[in-house]
């Protein structure tokens, strides 16, 4: 009953803290790559059998472990864990309470390997704000396999399914979200009856332990240059688009005059674009489309080519992409006999650059 009350109280506190932050509905999350938002955790702590918690001065099982995981969204993560249990066997194998055994001792009492699912309650209930909070509440649930080392005992007494449930109270001590310290109140469960091998279940307090631990987590750098999910404010983009639309509505004739200029040529010859030509590309691409090639087929004389990129991605990547776009256009024009006096990429200009290359007649 004490454990049940403790768990309910902790959950209520976690939900109350998480609910204090409001969601930002204007944020969009960049699609992460497979190795983005990965991390490694080192944890230490101690566990005591729930059944014999208040006898024999709290028999303690020291535990140390390591985990490697990935956040798939700001709410959900999955990790693989491996841990070792230390101490003597005077208080029995972990999860079996005070089943005394005096036949020998080992430095390592047992090994555990498993998989944990993690839910960020702060982001689930309070909404993702675009960056990690200083304090976050995570709920943890996992399952795995435990192997104990008890001299003279058969494998069926030393192998069984095990798992955990509880919380990870995380403090993100670095503004760049590289380092996290956390406290972990959790319950460790034995899912197999002692001596029953892999068959009978034993999901009860008789084979459970209360675990209290601390952990350090390092978050690896992502492809976007940060250590977390990169977000974009859709509201800002919408405001920019609306502003551009208003400007176009005010000066439609002037804009059309500057964008498209053609000259009359004799019959049976192609139309020559004497002004600027705009070649559009797909997102994150420098490949010429069939429509783009048809447009470039109408260009003659001497031109200069300027490549541009849209604001998504890092500045370094956008600069490289704009240069590749300019080169693709220049190479195609050169193959058609057009003289390209200059070819350069300009990256992103302000907030309104697009996936385009400009062919400017000299």
């Amino acid at each position: 009953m004490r454990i049940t009350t403790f768990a309910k109280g902790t959950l209520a506190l976690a939900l109350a803290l998480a609910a204090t932050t409001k969601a930002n509905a204007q944020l969009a999350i960049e699609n992460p790559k497979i190795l983005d938002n990965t991390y490694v955790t080192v944890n230490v702590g101690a566990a005591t059998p729930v059944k014999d918690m208040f006898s024999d001065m709290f028999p303690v099982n020291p535990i140390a472990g390591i985990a490697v995981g990935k956040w798939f969204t700001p709410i959900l993560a999955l990790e693989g864990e491996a841990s070792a249990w230390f101490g003597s066997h005077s208080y029995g194998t972990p999860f079996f309470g005070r089943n005394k055994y005096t036949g020998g001792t080992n430095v390592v009492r047992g090994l555990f390997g498993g998989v944990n699912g993690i839910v960020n309650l702060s982001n689930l209930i309070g909404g993702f704000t675009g960056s990690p909070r200083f304090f976050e509440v995570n709920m943890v649930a996992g399952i795995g396999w435990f192997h104990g080392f008890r001299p003279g005992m058969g494998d069926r007494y030393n192998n069984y399914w095990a798992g955990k449930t509880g919380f990870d109270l995380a403090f993100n001590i670095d503004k760049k979200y590289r380092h996290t310290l956390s406290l972990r109140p959790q319950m460790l469960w034995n899912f197999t009856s002692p001596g029953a091998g892999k068959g009978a279940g034993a999901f009860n307090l008789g084979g459970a332990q209360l675990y209290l631990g601390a952990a350090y987590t390092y978050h690896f750098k992502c492809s976007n240059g940060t250590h977390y999910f990169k977000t974009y404010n859709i509201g800002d983009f919408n405001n920019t688009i609306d502003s551009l639309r208003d400007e176009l509505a005010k000066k439609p004739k002037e804009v059309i005059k500057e964008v498209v200029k053609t000259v009359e040529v004799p019959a049976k010859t192609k139309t020559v674009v004497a002004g600027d030509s705009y070649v559009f590309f797909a997102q994150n691409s420098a490949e010429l489309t069939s429509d783009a090639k048809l447009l470039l087929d109408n260009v003659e004389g001497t031109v200069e080519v300027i490549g541009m990129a849209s604001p998504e991605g890092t500045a370094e990547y956008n600069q490289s992409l704009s240069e590749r776009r300019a080169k693709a256009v220049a190479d195609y024009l050169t193959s058609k006999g057009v003289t390209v006096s200059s070819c350069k990429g300009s990256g992103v200009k302000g907030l309104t650059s697009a996936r385009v290359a400009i062919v400017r007649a000299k």
Side-chain angles (χ1 to χ4, degrees):
M1 180 60 68
R2 294 176 180 267
I3 301 302
T4 302
T5 303
F6 166 78
K8 288 183 177 179
T10 305
L11 177 59
L13 175 62
L15 296 179
L17 291 174
T20 58
T21 304
K22 295 182 179 180
N24 188 340
Q26 294 295 313
L27 292 181
I29 300 175
E30 179 185 61
N31 290 331
K33 295 184 178 180
I34 188 170
L35 294 180
D36 286 350
N37 306 301
T38 54
Y39 63 89
V40 59
T41 298
V42 178
N43 57 81
V44 295
T48 185
V50 174
K51 186 176 180 180
D52 298 305
M53 182 185 302
F54 301 103
S55 63
D56 297 308
M57 299 296 293
F58 285 89
V60 174
N61 299 309
I63 303 173
I66 187 171
V68 177
K70 172 182 173 65
W71 284 96
F72 293 93
T73 72
I75 295 175
L76 180 63
L78 194 66
E79 67 178 21
E81 175 191 3
S83 59
W85 296 56
F86 302 93
S88 71
H89 286 283
S90 59
Y91 286 102
T93 293
F95 299 125
F96 290 161
R98 288 191 66 257
N99 180 18
K100 289 188 177 181
Y101 180 78
T102 58
T105 60
N106 294 323
V107 175
V108 178
R109 298 183 60 187
L111 297 175
F112 173 79
V115 178
N116 302 321
I118 304 174
V119 176
N120 188 311
L121 294 177
S122 300
N123 289 337
L124 177 65
I125 300 175
F128 180 52
T129 62
S131 62
R133 301 172 173 84
F134 170 72
F135 174 68
E136 294 181 322
V137 179
N138 301 310
M139 185 169 63
V140 181
I143 187 172
W145 187 258
F146 187 91
H147 175 72
F149 297 98
R150 294 198 295 174
M153 303 295 288
D155 285 343
R156 69 191 185 112
Y157 291 94
N158 284 322
N159 294 286
Y160 42 87
W161 289 103
K164 67 167 59 177
T165 56
F167 294 97
D168 178 89
L169 309 178
F171 296 85
N172 298 309
I173 59 176
D174 180 15
K175 292 183 178 180
K176 294 184 177 180
Y177 193 61
R178 294 172 296 182
H179 311 291
T180 299
L181 297 178
S182 58
L183 300 176
R184 297 185 167 184
Q186 298 173 351
M187 288 289 293
L188 309 180
W189 303 93
N190 168 25
F191 294 144
T192 308
S193 295
K198 303 177 182 178
F203 184 54
N204 53 55
L205 294 181
Q209 297 217 5
L210 173 64
Y211 171 82
L212 296 176
Y216 164 76
T217 299
Y218 179 78
H219 304 268
F220 295 104
K221 192 173 184 179
C222 302
S223 59
N224 59 29
T226 71
H227 293 259
Y228 203 57
F229 292 92
K230 188 173 183 178
T231 58
Y232 298 97
N233 193 318
I234 302 301
D236 289 344
F237 284 119
N238 289 336
N239 291 337
T240 301
I241 293 173
D242 292 341
S243 177
L244 292 174
R245 286 174 176 170
D246 292 340
E247 293 181 9
L248 290 173
K250 293 177 182 178
K251 303 179 180 180
K253 294 181 179 180
E254 179 180 343
V255 173
I256 294 174
K257 182 179 179 181
E258 291 184 358
V259 172
V260 180
K261 299 178 182 178
T262 61
V263 296
E264 295 295 331
V265 296
K268 297 184 179 180
T269 62
K270 61 184 178 181
T271 301
V272 180
V273 178
D276 294 347
S277 299
Y278 295 84
V279 179
F280 294 92
F281 294 86
Q283 184 176 13
N284 196 30
S285 173
E287 297 291 331
L288 292 175
T289 65
S290 57
D291 290 339
K293 291 179 180 179
L294 289 175
L295 174 66
L296 294 176
D297 288 340
N298 293 323
V299 177
E300 287 185 347
T302 302
V303 299
E304 61 179 359
V305 181
I306 304 172
M308 303 178 68
S310 52
E312 299 89 352
T314 64
E316 294 81 2
Y317 181 80
N318 286 331
Q319 179 62 37
S320 173
L321 181 59
S322 66
E323 293 172 356
R324 288 189 280 119
R325 286 171 173 169
K327 186 176 185 304
V329 173
D331 290 345
Y332 186 83
L333 290 175
T334 301
S335 70
K336 297 294 183 179
V338 179
T339 301
V340 179
S341 62
S342 66
C343 172
K344 63 181 180 179
S346 63
V348 178
K349 297 296 185 182
L351 295 175
T352 61
S353 294
R355 301 185 290 272
V356 66
I358 303 174
V359 180
R360 184 160 293 163
K362 299 291 291 185

